[in-house]
Amino acid sequence: MKDKCGIVGMYSNDHDKDVSASVYYALYALQHRGQESAGISTYNHQKGINYYCGMGLVSDVFKNDELQKLEGNIGIGHVRYSTTGQSKLENSQPFVTDFEGGYIAMAHNGDIVNSKHLRSHLEDIGYEFNSDTDSEVLCYLIKEEHSKNGDIIKTLEKISKMIIGSYSLVILINDELYALRDPKAMKPLALAKKDDMYVVASESVAFDVISAEFIRDFKPGEIISVIDGELTSHTLEIADQYENARCMFEYVYFARPDSVIDGKSVFDVRLNIGKKLYEEFPFDADLVVPVPDSSIPCALGYSRASGIEYGEGLIKNRYVGRTFIMPSQEERELAVKLKLNPLKEGLQGKDIVLIDDSIVRGTTSAELINILREAGARKIYLLIGCPPVIAPCFYGVAMASKDELIAANFTIDKIQEKIGSDALGYISIHSLVEAIGMDEDELCLGCINEKYPTEIPDDLEAESYYDFLIQSLSKDD
């Protein structure tokens, strides 16, 4: 599984203030959302658009004097994992291109499932692409549509009716800042303020690090613009046509536990997941052990509900990235041993409840079970805080293909046999939804129930859809 991306936007009313350092620290707080590349673009009233992108962690990309060169009181930033597009410098963001006598910079979190069709048309009318990502497609689509109507709100209204998928965007058009959340609210986006500066970001932790005061989450389909220091809000016309489809994986795994997304504390949701796991699987054991870090609150919830002692049975090496970024199976298995080491003294002869957030291919789980058995654990009851992942995601989570998803191809009993645990239990969809505290129809659960909130790629190959797309792109308002 690969994570999504993180985006940040800032606008200060003080023309002499440089926001690049604040953008940097906010991106640092969102580093868990993307470790492949990072980038910042700023606008200075004397010098125009500045930008710098690079491969690696935020601290690696901006390690010399790059920040000092990014002058300007308006800025956007991005950290990336590749979901659409390869891991290479050309695919790093923000994307910057000329625009109506000036420049546009854009950063995107999400995945546009019909981006290939959109790209094909843009290439037909003369656009040349420097990357293979859907984010550059969006950038050029905005540029093309704006050339027809000259109004950015009308442009975003128009393209919202063409694109299928998930997106949160921050857009810098010269000295104007725009931010947009998709009409299904699939990707998180929130607003804050610090003194004279407005801030938008994927998660509230980005506000905490710079001491900005959280104002609220973006509404589904909301565009917030800051022009000449004035903030305005506009809601896409199509927003009323859709039900919300917030990604449940934000709460289960992706978001930092100290974030609050759409009014829900991620930590509290994970604590609730642990309590629900005990209701469904009340094992008698000596110790509750989390797979750090995202499963720690779940294990605490199980421990509190059951009265079984919570224990740190696995010690995490915090200088190793997430194991799912490793390209080969052999490297992934090695990464598990590099990342997690057993605390043998606390495990020997113990029956343990091992809590993890998800099982995708099953190989990491099998390796963990082996590590714990070698450390002397007597029985290992593995509980998972996410229902079985049985289908791929098309909205910005680069999971394995369906052929590689272990739960799509084997029963729970067979999975237990393959990974070698003494018991295996997954939280039910009903309990997960209750733990999040939303109605089921407010969440995207496509990877666990195959009920996707939009058309999916197979549906987009039809000739009738392609004809419709070309007509939409070619027609002026």
Side-chain angles (χ1 to χ4, degrees), residues 6-10 22-33 190 192 194 197 199-213 256 258-260:
I7 60 175
V8 174
M10 296 188 188
S22 294
V23 174
Y24 170 86
Y25 289 118
L27 290 178
Y28 218 124
L30 298 176
Q31 187 73 86
H32 60 288
R33 299 187 71 87
K194 180 182 180 182
M197 184 168 65
V199 187
V200 298
S202 295
E203 293 183 36
S204 61
V205 288
F207 308 144
D208 298 337
V209 73
I210 60 170
S211 300
E213 183 178 354
R256 268 179 45 168
D258 45 341
S259 283
V260 176

Side-chain angles (χ1 to χ4, degrees), residues 66-101:
E66 290 87 4
L67 280 179
Q68 283 67 43
K69 297 176 183 178
L70 294 171
E71 298 175 304
N73 63 309
I74 314 166
I76 62 173
H78 187 269
V79 289
R80 180 178 189 266
Y81 273 129
S82 54
T83 53
T84 297
Q86 300 173 22
S87 177
K88 58 183 182 181
L89 182 59
E90 292 83 353
N91 290 336
S92 59
Q93 297 184 43
F95 284 111
V96 178
T97 187
D98 58 62
F99 185 84
E100 301 292 313

